[in-house]
């Protein structure tokens, strides 16, 4: 495993989009530092790394899609000297990352408009798109209710980011979701992956929050850039499982500790999908991401 | 605050029924060690302690009901010398505790019959009644799925008890409930309190498990002795909140950490109530507990 692959495989801190942009940076850096002397060698080396990066987190759609698009753009570069190629790769990587960041900004702005001012918004897990939406609403009487999102205190990190931005934040255990969702004007979550049937693959616990929101008749919004879409359907979706050590519970004979990272929220629990291309109330209306698109 | 009240007020380890029996032991011990020299002084002292114990955990129905019944039995004792009174109190306390334990056993046996052999049973929080049901089913291919039940690792303690009894146990975070409930034949939870409308006041997260069970069409059973009933309705129920320190998250400015202990599961999410007097499928059929009953 190369250093680059290890960084992506072992990261538990960043949201899926941030991690995908990080993977692009690693690819661009490899293009600069590679000892490849010819166009063919450099392209081959970069494609191998790109595939390894994608395989290190197979269920992270933005990683699949952004790295896939990067490979597609790479294959379109004219055959040129390595020095010129390096410079073009730097530019195309920057453009793709900008495009991804602009999508996040567009989603955040639409999410903020949909939820409106003077709102208490509840969320689960750490989504950079949701953070961006909170920042758009800052100063407009917005409050946050944030779940702990076990393991690894993702929710604590989110609460820290929000409170440092001046947004009053309530932090609860995941088990208290049902006690607090009724106090929110809306639930706003990100997505690690949007499945082909509109189901939302996101940090474990998202399904519980969606069920609780429906129980209390609170809208459940999913903020997701289109490059989080994959054609995979719910029945075929793979859910990554991480080491039980992350739960920091002492192992005991006879006890199997499980740590499945993601759950799947079916589309009928989603009130609206907020994408950079608009807001969609029906999953079959979602515009599909294609690798070649720019 | 007396030592006895502190023990009950600060306990986070025992289920509500165990704690109620523990309170009775503390009352009986006070009867033995009290320096009261007359019938009237001893009865008064014990009633003051009984009221203090009840007020220390106002939302724990078994404590209210068992201590209330104990006071009712105490008031029925003949005026007698203190030495004879002490002996009679020891006997009535023992009888009341036995009655409570027998109710747990009866509930456990019926729960085990209802769920049947060869079952994976999912639960939340640490209920001694649920532990008893698992022990009845031991050796009949029973498996447990146990949630962590943050805070204070109640679920870890339960998993430890079950695995030490030879029951294969899977331990998950509360956030993973939605991923595992579909693998269970039934959900079986205890209750801290059964409200007058049949709603179940239990450790925070129970509502989420009930919603997830309904989503996957898995029966959701509540195992509860009748002395867990109170006439209070959902809208009037008080939910205890404990110190945020229990969450072991570092406090930060701008973040309010909440630690509400209980949530309320409405009766329409309960498939059956299992009591020592039988199994009830409708909350309005539940036999009501009365303090004078024996």
């Amino acid at each position: 495993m190369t250093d680059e692959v290890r960084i992506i495989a072992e990261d538990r801190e960043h949201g899926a989009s941030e991690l995908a942009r990080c993977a692009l940076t690693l690819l661009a850096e490899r293009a600069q530092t590679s000892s490849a002397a010819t166009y063919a060698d450099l392209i081959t080396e970069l494609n191998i790394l790109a595939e390894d990066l994608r395989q290190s987190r197979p269920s992270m759609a933005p990683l699949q899609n952004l790295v896939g698009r990067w490979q597609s753009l790479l294959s379109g570069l004219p055959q040129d000297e390595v020095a010129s190629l390096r410079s073009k790769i730097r530019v195309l990587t920057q453009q793709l990352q900008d495009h991804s960041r602009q999508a996040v900004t567009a989603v955040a702005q639409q999410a903020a408009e949909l939820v409106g001012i003077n709102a208490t918004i509840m969320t689960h897990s750490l989504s950079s798109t949701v953070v961006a939406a909170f920042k758009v609403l800052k100063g407009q009487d917005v409050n946050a209710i944030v779940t702990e999102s076990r393991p690894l205190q993702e929710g604590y990190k989110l609460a820290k980011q929000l409170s440092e931005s001046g947004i009053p934040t309530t932090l609860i255990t995941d088990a208290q979701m049902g006690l607090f969702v009724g106090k929110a004007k809306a639930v706003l979550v990100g997505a690690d992956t949007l499945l082909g049937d509109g189901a939302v693959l996101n940090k474990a616990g998202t399904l519980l929050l969606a069920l609780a929101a429906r129980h209390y008749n609170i809208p459940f919004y999913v903020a997701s850039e289109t490059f989080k879409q994959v054609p995979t359907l719910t029945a075929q979706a793979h859910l990554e499982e991480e080491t039980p050590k992350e739960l920091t519970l002492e192992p005991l004979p006879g006890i199997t500790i499980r740590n499945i990272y993601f759950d799947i929220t079916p589309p009928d629990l989603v009130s609206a999908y907020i994408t950079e291309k608009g807001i969609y109330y029906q999953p079959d209306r979602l515009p599909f991401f294609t690798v070649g698109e720019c």
Side-chain angles (χ1 to χ4, degrees), chain A:
Chain A
M1 196 186 276
T2 64
D3 286 349
E4 292 101 332
V5 172
R6 189 168 299 112
I7 288 170
I8 299 299
E10 295 178 359
D11 184 283
R12 299 287 174 273
E13 265 201 39
H14 296 93
S17 305
E18 278 177 294
L19 206 60
R21 288 192 294 271
C22 172
L24 297 185
T25 299
L26 295 169
L27 283 161
E29 281 173 3
R30 173 72 77 91
Q32 311 312 309
T33 58
S34 164
S35 57
T38 67
Y39 168 90
D41 284 354
L42 183 58
I43 297 290
T44 303
E45 181 181 332
L46 291 175
N47 273 321
I48 289 170
L49 177 57
E51 291 302 324
D52 287 348
L53 287 168
R54 289 171 67 172
Q55 280 169 30
S56 74
R57 303 297 290 270
S59 62
M60 275 201 168
L63 187 75
Q64 303 307 317
N65 286 332
L66 278 189
V67 173
R69 190 183 288 184
W70 187 89
Q71 288 178 281
S72 159
L73 293 170
L74 189 73
S75 73
L77 290 177
Q79 289 205 18
D80 211 340
E81 286 181 7
V82 165
S84 155
L85 203 53
R86 283 187 170 130
S87 148
K88 286 189 179 113
I89 289 172
R90 194 187 293 123
V91 172
L92 80 84
T93 305
Q94 187 64 53
Q95 283 172 341
L96 198 48
Q97 288 174 326
D98 287 348
H99 180 75
S100 156
R101 280 193 203 94
Q102 283 154 11
V104 171
T105 305
V107 171
Q109 276 165 345
Q110 291 189 81
E113 257 175 61
L114 185 62
V115 175
I117 61 168
N118 192 14
T120 295
I121 303 173
M122 184 159 172
T123 190
H124 179 66
S125 184
L126 173 50
S127 154
S128 54
T129 313
V130 170
V131 171
F134 271 108
K135 288 184 179 170
V136 174
L137 284 168
K138 189 189 151 179
Q140 295 179 64
D141 251 344
V142 68
N143 289 274
I145 302 173
V146 172
T147 56
E148 185 180 19
S149 306
R150 286 263 290 157
L152 299 188
Q153 305 197 305
E154 278 186 342
Y156 186 73
K157 286 170 197 154
L158 172 60
K160 206 173 159 186
Q161 283 185 39
L162 294 179
S163 64
E164 283 170 0
S165 301
I167 294 161
T169 300
T170 299
L171 179 65
I172 60 170
T173 54
D174 300 319
Q176 289 178 87
M177 277 179 192
L179 286 160
F180 282 86
V181 69
K183 303 179 197 294
K185 185 176 177 187
V187 172
L188 181 66
V189 296
D192 280 274
T193 299
L194 269 191
L195 299 176
D197 47 16
V200 182
L201 193 151
N202 199 45
K203 183 76 184 269
T206 304
L207 169 61
L208 300 176
L209 186 52
L211 289 168
R214 176 61 51 94
H215 182 68
Y216 286 103
N217 217 12
I218 306 294
F220 181 86
Y221 299 133
V222 177
S224 171
E225 305 84 72
T226 58
F227 58 79
K228 290 189 170 169
Q229 287 182 308
V230 294
T232 314
L233 303 178
T234 297
Q236 279 73 47
H238 169 73
L239 301 175
E240 289 181 25
E241 182 154 9
E242 302 299 340
T243 169
K245 285 180 191 163
E246 288 185 357
L247 270 59
T248 60
L249 296 169
E250 196 196 334
L252 281 174
I255 301 181
T256 308
I257 299 176
R258 301 291 302 270
N259 184 21
I260 300 179
Y261 244 61
F262 303 107
D263 64 20
I264 295 176
T265 301
D268 60 301
L269 293 175
V270 178
S271 308
Y273 302 87
I274 307 164
T275 78
E276 77 278 17
K277 295 180 181 174
I279 295 171
Y280 298 85
Y281 295 91
Q282 300 291 337
D284 52 5
R285 299 289 179 83
L286 281 167
F288 256 94
F289 171 88
T290 52
V291 167
E293 192 185 346
C294 219

